[in-house]
Amino acid sequence: MAEAHSTLLLQVKGVHKRFGDNVVLSGADLDVPRGSLVTVLGRSGTGKSVFLKCLADIMPADAGEVLFDGKPLGTADPATRAEFRRRCSFLFQSNALFDSLTALENVRLPLEQTSDLSDAEIQERSLEALRQLELEKYLLSYPSQMSGGMQKRLALARAIVTQPELVLFDEPTAGLDPIRRNAVFLMIAKYQRQFGFTAVIVTHDVLEAMAASDRVALLDQGRMHFQGTPKEFAHSTDAVVASFRDSAAALGTALASLRGGGTLSVED
Amino acid sequence: MISFLGRQTLTLVHGLGDFALFTLRSFQAVFGSRRMLRRIARAGFEQGVRCLPVILIVGMFTGLVLGLQGYYVLNRFGSESLLGALVSLSLVRELGPVLAALMLVGQAGSALAAELGIQRNSEQIAALETMGVNSLGYLITPRLIAALVVYPMQTALFVTVGLWGGSLSGSLLLGVQPGVYWSAVERAVASQDVNECFIKAATFGLITIALCCYHGFNTHRNRGASGARGVSASTTRAVVQSSILVLAADYVITSFLV
């Protein structure tokens, strides 16, 4: 799959970010081929969301470069940045839906504020996005009246209504049970193929990421420790990759040892 | 001690500069924003129609009390016929703009600061920015423009209701002839007083709504308070600082216009 998309839509080179004395990113790199679904894995608190916000140009990196379609964003003029924002959508972990607007108004908003479309065209495109995400029955519902899964779909409808080339997903499955987690990954993979956008997802759900992604990256101690296909990730013998990938198996082994009368250290 | 004073002064100057830039950028954003009229109308509804009951009630009671107090003071000098002049000049020059602004800060300003604070905490403002929408133009500009229109209107309403309140207590309860009361009002209030009233109302509207927007919009910059406490701190700061600024600005404007 990766070979089929040799052109990189997004390229991250040596991004650094620190908050006071806390160094979060220390030279993180990432290559995102056009049309692919790339997942960035990492433990909680390793700076995955900060990395994604640096990519989305909503948090300035201290050093390093983010290239979108070959153009650097950090030193770009306002017009290039506006062009990037028009071609990129960001899905927040919290969905960030406007709670005082209905589902339809939420989806209409980016088109109303950033496009020159007529009111009829905006309505048509918004209704189409909601229909494709199977939310046509909830046009006048407020986000608070929807379930978590529906809110996620509404956020995705709002993200795709502008027909972006790149969609960034910040922990889209955080706090969901395994069945809903699978459903969200399936939804992202389905719409990514249907609409043809490039997707970058940050998550710590290893199995789902390996099943749904074209490429997988592992962020560890501020750097991208691994980048490759899910197959390469599955067969990697690197200790950091293996400990993250095989954490469930390691837990089973440790628990078996405990049941057999052994001792278990929390650090294990 | 000196270094502490220096730090506080620098913080104050930095804060004032930041606030001035925030207000300026919000007005600049009017040029790039779309569908502004609809959002100004919505902001006008929030600041105007929703605050109407409190303006009417407080205006009426202010007029009633002014009529009552004024009558007994003027009665000592046998000048009850000047009750209309006392009530009208007090309301038009000072009490109308100041009290209406304080009521609007309590009702619309606090709600605005809390709403923006929650929008900041729930990443709705960040979401606007990722969409390429100017968050100042979308959230702040319509409210500032609405305040410039709504505050003078609310103040005019406050003064009118207050005059009727004064008439009610003076004429109906205490025996001043209605004709005497209203002719004193007509003779006392000059167009300069009305201009002063509207200048004050528009200035207070701009200052208070900008300050409430500033604190709500920058909730995430609160030191030592985040989440719900951050919103609460922003709202409190917005209301307290707005109320103080209304009184300070009142003194400054009056000293220039008197």
Side-chain angles (χ1 to χ4, degrees), chain B residues 47-112:
Chain B
Q47 292 169 24
V49 179
R50 285 199 180 150
C51 299
L52 214 53
V54 74
I55 290 290
L56 293 176
I57 292 167
V58 176
M60 176 56 74
F61 278 106
T62 306
L64 283 168
V65 169
L66 269 178
L68 206 61
Q69 289 278 16
Y71 178 83
Y72 286 113
V73 171
L74 292 170
N75 184 251
R76 286 188 212 161
F77 308 101
S79 307
E80 303 93 320
S81 60
L82 292 175
L83 182 67
L86 185 143
V87 172
S88 60
L89 287 178
S90 307
L91 281 171
V92 173
R93 284 188 180 175
E94 290 300 331
L95 292 178
V98 170
L99 286 180
L102 292 177
M103 290 306 110
L104 287 168
V105 167
Q107 177 108 3
S110 58
L112 190 53

Side-chain angles (χ1 to χ4, degrees), chain B residues 98-159:
Chain B
V98 170
L99 286 180
L102 292 177
M103 290 306 110
L104 287 168
V105 167
Q107 177 108 3
S110 58
L112 190 53
E115 185 182 335
L116 288 168
I118 290 168
Q119 287 186 320
R120 172 64 75 185
N121 279 354
S122 58
E123 297 184 305
Q124 292 176 40
I125 294 175
L128 279 175
E129 281 155 16
T130 61
M131 288 175 203
V133 179
N134 184 337
S135 51
L136 289 177
Y138 184 75
L139 296 168
I140 311 299
T141 313
R143 278 149 169 162
L144 292 181
I145 295 172
L148 286 172
V149 179
V150 169
Y151 268 60
M153 286 168 70
Q154 295 279 42
T155 303
L157 197 67
F158 185 97
V159 170

Side-chain angles (χ1 to χ4, degrees), chain B residues 155-206:
Chain B
T155 303
L157 197 67
F158 185 97
V159 170
T160 309
V161 174
L163 287 175
W164 278 102
S167 160
L168 214 68
S169 62
S171 304
L172 210 68
L173 305 175
L174 298 166
V176 176
Q177 289 296 316
V180 172
Y181 176 86
W182 288 109
S183 68
V185 170
E186 194 188 345
R187 270 185 279 116
V189 180
S191 63
Q192 194 191 338
D193 299 318
V194 179
N195 288 343
E196 183 181 333
C197 176
F198 285 135
I199 289 170
K200 282 184 177 178
T203 310
F204 298 162
L206 182 63

Side-chain angles (χ1 to χ4, degrees), chain A residues 53 58 85 88 90 92 94 96-99 101 108-110 112-117 119 122 158, chain B residues 32-35 38-39 42 115 118-119 122-133 138-139:
Chain A
K53 284 175 181 170
I58 50 176
R85 293 205 191 285
C88 171
F90 191 100
F92 288 82
S94 61
L97 293 164
F98 295 94
D99 44 19
L101 301 181
R108 282 178 59 101
L109 193 143
E112 283 178 352
Q113 294 299 317
T114 60
S115 77
D116 294 321
L117 296 174
D119 205 56
I122 290 173
R158 189 177 68 179
Chain B
S33 292
R34 295 158 199 247
R35 295 167 193 255
R38 201 169 54 183
R39 281 179 287 123
R42 183 176 284 184
E115 185 182 335
I118 290 168
Q119 287 186 320
S122 58
E123 297 184 305
Q124 292 176 40
I125 294 175
L128 279 175
E129 281 155 16
T130 61
M131 288 175 203
V133 179
Y138 184 75
L139 296 168

